[in-house]
Every structure is written in C-alpha cells, then in structure tokens.
Amino acid sequence: MIAKPDHLFDRDSEWRHLAAFVTREPDRPQLGVVSGRRRQGKTYLLEALTRECDGFYFGATEATETESLALFANALSEYLDAPVPLRFTGWDEAVTYLFSIAASLRGPVVIDEFPYLCKASPALPSILQRELDRGVSRQTPISILLCGSAMSVMGGLLGGSAPLRGRANLELVLRPFEYPLAARFWRVAGSRLAVLLHAIVGGTPAYRRFVNDRSPDGLDDFDDWVLETVLDPGTPLFREARYLLEEEADVRDTALYHSILAAVASGNNTRGGIAGYIGRKAADIGHHLNVLEDSCLIRRDADLFRSGRSRYRIAEPLIVFYEVVMRPRWGLLESGRAGPIWADAAPRFSSQVVGPHFEQMCREFAMLAPSRFFGDLPGDVGAGVVSGGREQIEVDVVVLGPAIPGEPRRVLSLGECKWGEAMGVRHVDRLRRARDLLGGRGYDVRDTVLACYSGIGFDERLQDNSDSIALIGLDTLYEVD
C-alpha cells in the first residue's frame, strides 16, 4: 500500500481507496471516477497520488477540442520522454494510442476536470467506453481515473444510459470535512467559535488557503476575521459564492438562480414558498431546482413524518452567508464599507445563517453520535412535522431506528435546537407532546430520548433527566470527533 504523504490532512479513507486502486495489478482496464464540489482538494489529492506512484496526470482547462488535444499530447510526450512530440487529430486517436501503450505506462492515467473535455468533445465518454470494452478482451493493463467538479456532469457519467455506466471499478466522492474535523483543520479553539466559523466556510479545505491560513484567534477576533477575509474585496473568498454558481455547466440565468438561493436562505424552503418569494409559479422553477440539486448546491430533505413532503436547504454555507449578508449590500461591500454593513447584518447573521446551520450541525451530530446517546445506531436522521388535529409541531432533529418489516418504526430521539436561546421546560413539553402524538399514530416511542440542543445553555429545571432528556450543548456537540 502506498503511504499517504504527511502534507495531506485527513482523507485517510479516500487515500486508502485510491492507493488500492493504483496498486492493483489488473489484467484488464480499470476505471475510477472521483468527483466532489469545487475546492474540496481533489486535485491536491490526485497530484499527490500520481507523484507517489509515478502516474500520468493531465489537468484539463476550458479550451477548444484542438487546444485540449495539443495540451494532452504535450503532457503525455513529457511523461513518456518521447523523442518526437506527439500529435493527435482527435480524441479517438489519442485514446486509442493511450491504450496501445498501456504496458509502457509507469502508473495510472489521471484526467482532472474531465467535464471541460466533455463540453468541447461530447463523444469522449463513448470513445473511452469503446476502448475499455476492447481492453477487456485484449487484457490491456491500464488504470484510468477521471475527476471533475461539475457535479451535474460527473453525476451523470455513470448513470442511466451513459456510455460509461457499469464500467467503473471505483466511484469516489470527496465531501467537505465534517464539522469536528473542520475545527481541527482550521485550528480554532472553543466550540462556539468553531460553530461561527463553520457557518461561513463550512468544511471546504481550500478556503483556508484563500485567507492565507488566517484563522480567528478567538471570539474577540471573529468580527475582525470576517472583515479581513470574506468581506474584503481583495480576498478570493469575497467572490467565491458567486463563482460557485457560475462555474456550473447547466446554469444559464444566474440572476434567477441567485433569487432562488436567496429565497431558501431566507427560510422559504418549500417549492411554493420559493416560487412566491421570487414571483414565479411553482411549476416554472422545477427545472432550476433540479439543476441546483444536481449541482449539489442545494439538497432536498424529506420530512420524516409526512410522506411526499420535503424542504430545500442550501448545501454550501458560504452561499447562505453571501445571500443573507453580502448580496443585499454588494455595491457597498465592493467599495470597502464592510464595517457598518457587518454591524447591521449581525441579527440576520445570527437568525438566518448561524441558527439554521446550527440545526444542521445537530442533525449531523445525531448521525455521528455513538449508540449510547440514543440507545441504538440511527436508521434515518432528519427533521419532520408532527400533526395532530390542528396542531403542527416542527421537530428539528428526528432520529429513527432502522426500518424493520412488520414492526412499528422506533423513534430513537426527538430534538429541538436553539442557537441563541436558553432552553427550558416549555421546549421539552413540545417534544413530549410530539412524542405522544407519534405514539398514537403507531410509532414505537417507549424509549424515545427527548433532546435539547442549545448554543446558550439550559434552564436549571432541565437538569433532572428522569424523563430521558438529553441536554446537548456546544462542547458535547464536538465530543463526537
């Protein structure tokens, strides 16, 4: 097994899969697909891999087919130390040649930003498929890794009737760091500061480089950090949220997409609510929602208690911060007036950015938490609305046990989250009422743990846990690491 370089932070599981892929000695072609949202470190990881195993790395750019072929030929010539520079008239010739010299390759072939090549040369996946199939019968020993950030393209590369469907030996998705790991990566001390930072930059590793490895030194430094980084027009982070949308291949009318994201960031997270916010009919935005979902910029979370109901949430924290804090005052921010704008945005930042983000972190905690917290490992974690007559109780964190045919679904935990409010008896009473309503609907609630998640603290009367009440503060939230 190839040892992971010391400069790579975490990514142990991803490195293990990639190392196993490239060290395998195949008697036929093998294909791997690596994807993930931009800035997750895919290129950093794959460049390290090719250096360790002397593979061939080609990073595609946005270019015409002719230029891309020339760049590919130059890179391959350099890798092979070819006495005469290679030249290809098309990708058909280039891929055929690559497979013909498979025995001479010292390591895997890595093609990064593959969607750029597909955009200029739509037939490329079919050409690869043909040579992979031929290579099986010819026992061609070649390992190819395709990588890309355009999730709408990469997501369809192996799906449906796509040419490469069923040909991959490895399908790897690089995701943002989970929140406990992100705190370690940014080297922040204190769970409250870690939540505030994560509500802006999430778990995307490249953003630390965007701010020259500058982390807030403490809570007293957080406002200055915001003003010197994400709200400073001279830093790459300032325009990053706009670029995330513009870089997606299927996005055309960016103004409309930003309006949809603004609607979701403002709390309008149903299709009807989004349509009403932007002044369109619900049927008119279905395609746009699908594009954002395929691009992994938003996600649709099912209501765990109401079949067919779901809510949209923005998947990238930086986009929420941009839509709530930056976009309404973009012109003033570009002119360098970040100080008063940030002071004015403080209430919105707390209620519309940190509050919903804290709820999502609590759901992630419930998924990561050891079984001792809720009595068993979860089957599903999410949110849901419990209905009883005219009563509608929204539960922020729902933890269900695994679904077992013929048995009532166990409700392991019902939780409420409050970022800026100390939790008291009335919050627990709402959870008790929701538990009782679910019991009347046939759910198994005999061992349901009522959980209070708070960013502030808890009323002294909640210290008596006789009714299976779990008090989960910020420090507990980070104990799962």
Side-chain angles (χ1 to χ4, degrees), residues 358-410:
F358 177 63
E359 289 183 14
Q360 180 58 31
M361 291 177 68
C362 293
R363 287 187 281 270
E364 292 178 17
F365 167 85
M367 183 62 76
L368 297 170
S371 57
R372 62 183 173 84
F373 277 91
F374 305 124
D376 198 355
L377 293 177
D380 290 294
V381 174
V385 175
V386 180
S387 303
R390 297 182 179 180
E391 203 170 6
Q392 301 278 325
I393 302 176
E394 187 168 344
V395 183
D396 299 325
V397 184
V398 177
V399 185
L400 300 179
I404 301 174
E407 295 187 12
R409 194 74 185 270
R410 292 176 62 203

Side-chain angles (χ1 to χ4, degrees), residues 37 198-202 207 230-231 240-242 244 258 260-268 297-299 312-328 342 345 348-358 360:
R37 297 209 319 263
H198 198 268
I200 298 177
V201 297
Y207 292 162
V230 66
L231 295 185
E240 174 65 10
R242 297 165 72 98
L244 286 174
H258 273 300
I260 292 173
L261 292 170
V264 179
S266 301
N268 302 281
L297 295 179
I298 65 173
R299 64 177 182 274
Y312 290 95
R313 306 186 196 278
I314 297 176
E316 173 55 59
L318 187 63
I319 291 180
V320 181
F321 183 83
Y322 168 77
E323 298 293 349
V324 172
V325 175
M326 301 176 69
R327 186 163 169 259
W342 177 235
R348 298 197 309 278
F349 175 67
S350 180
S351 62
Q352 296 182 38
V353 178
V354 187
H357 189 76
F358 177 63
Q360 180 58 31

